[in-house]
Amino acid sequence: MSSVKKVLVVPKQQSGKKLQQLRLPHPSTAVLSSFYADIQAEVILEAATVNMKGKRSWLGDLCVICDGSASLLTPIDPLFIYLGLLTKFTSAGEDKWKFVDISALALDKHEQMDVASLGLLLEMKRVLSLALETLCEVKEITADTKMVRIDSEKVLGWLRRKCDPARFPESLKSMIPKDMADDAVQRAKSREMALLVAEYLPEYWVEKIFTELSVHDSECGLEQRVKAVAFDSPDSYALGVATPSTIASKVEKPKTAKEKQLEKAAKKSKPITSFFQKKT
């Protein structure tokens, strides 16, 4: 495995915490990708690369990092990851779903997926509970065994809420022409929200939500938008190398009045050798 160092840009909330690297399929492409998890806070970050290789370098601690690229770690709604997994493992044919034991997902390797990463994902109990409540039909067999499958109505309801024009981000308002009628503005906002959400959906659900919102793929260029982002491969750098340091920087304590007085007196004092005359 490569031991080449790379630069990570991490949200402030996670900058001083130990992040665990996860090897999970990206919910849109199903390609094995690199994620980072703050297990305690139950936050998952995706890693996307700004490619500057061959164009610049970084100065590190007593070293030069030749690859000038940087990986941006940004929060991702973990329900997108669960939707991708559950769509794959509970599918029983076209628009049909079968029950599976949710805890069994981490018992065996599924194609290229990492068992340890699936186990850590399932350990985030609050996220798991929210995923089952929001996306699934659940049959509780025992206290420790839950059989689950996709509930299409729940998923579509969740996606409609995600695409609500009221959630339209301020940063994208410049994309909406000011001279549009109110109903056209709402449709345009809904379409842009659908495009944002679709970048994290399996193809099956992209078609469903586009149909719901009357969005046509030919007018939105979704394929080009997805290709414009390069998500990090789990093998693009060594485990631990890219993990933000858990050692907090040492903060200098303010000096007491007595310490300041001693420091001031020390500056005025003479070295002991000044009391002895030099031999001639």
Side-chain angles (χ1 to χ4, degrees), residues 116-135:
S117 296
L118 287 171
L120 287 171
L121 178 66
L122 292 171
E123 280 182 18
M124 300 182 197
K125 299 301 183 185
R126 180 180 57 80
V127 171
L128 174 59
S129 177
L130 182 60
L132 299 186
E133 179 184 344
T134 307
L135 308 174

Side-chain angles (χ1 to χ4, degrees), residues 14-21 36-40 243-247:
Q14 278 76 42
S15 60
K17 297 181 179 179
K18 184 176 181 181
L19 300 179
Q20 176 71 50
Q21 189 187 35
Y36 284 85
D38 178 349
I39 303 296
Q40 186 174 3
T243 303
S245 174
T246 58
I247 303 175

Side-chain angles (χ1 to χ4, degrees), residues 6 9 47-53 58 67-72 230 232:
K6 291 185 72 175
V9 181
T49 297
V50 177
N51 187 3
M52 295 292 287
K53 190 172 184 178
W58 295 97
D67 186 349
S69 301
S71 290
L72 304 180
D232 282 9

Side-chain angles (χ1 to χ4, degrees), residues 227-268:
K227 285 183 178 179
V229 180
F231 294 101
D232 282 9
S233 160
D235 300 321
S236 59
Y237 34 72
L239 287 171
V241 172
T243 303
S245 174
T246 58
I247 303 175
S249 56
K250 186 176 181 181
V251 180
E252 189 174 345
K253 294 173 61 176
K255 295 178 181 178
T256 63
K258 185 174 182 180
E259 288 173 333
K260 290 180 180 178
Q261 188 177 5
L262 290 173
E263 188 179 66
K264 188 175 180 180
K267 289 180 180 178
K268 294 181 179 180

Side-chain angles (χ1 to χ4, degrees), residues 56-194:
R56 61 160 298 158
S57 299
W58 295 97
L59 291 177
D61 294 333
L62 304 177
C63 70
V64 175
I65 302 173
C66 297
D67 186 349
S69 301
S71 290
L72 304 180
L73 299 193
T74 54
I76 179 175
D77 187 338
L79 267 62
F80 284 117
I81 297 176
Y82 267 107
L83 180 58
L85 291 171
L86 290 165
T87 298
K88 177 180 179 63
F89 293 122
T90 71
S91 176
E94 187 174 354
D95 295 328
K96 294 181 181 179
W97 311 99
K98 63 184 178 183
F99 281 100
V100 299
D101 182 351
I102 187 67
S103 62
L105 292 184
L107 295 181
D108 301 300
K109 279 199 171 183
H110 300 285
E111 298 179 1
Q112 295 182 342
M113 276 180 269
D114 181 61
V115 175
S117 296
L118 287 171
L120 287 171
L121 178 66
L122 292 171
E123 280 182 18
M124 300 182 197
K125 299 301 183 185
R126 180 180 57 80
V127 171
L128 174 59
S129 177
L130 182 60
L132 299 186
E133 179 184 344
T134 307
L135 308 174
C136 296
E137 179 182 350
V138 181
K139 287 185 178 180
E140 190 166 334
I141 308 302
T142 67
D144 300 322
T145 304
K146 291 181 179 179
M147 305 296 290
V148 304
R149 69 179 178 186
I150 286 287
D151 186 318
S152 295
E153 287 303 314
K154 284 186 176 182
V155 173
L156 287 173
W158 175 65
L159 292 177
R160 282 192 291 268
R161 293 192 295 274
K162 284 284 188 184
C163 298
D164 187 343
R167 300 168 66 104
F168 193 75
E170 290 285 335
S171 58
L172 296 182
K173 282 193 173 180
S174 60
M175 300 176 63
I176 308 297
K178 295 181 179 179
D179 57 350
M180 294 178 69
D182 288 345
D183 58 339
V185 168
Q186 293 303 306
R187 287 196 301 272
K189 287 182 176 180
S190 182
R191 186 192 67 173
E192 289 300 321
M193 291 300 293

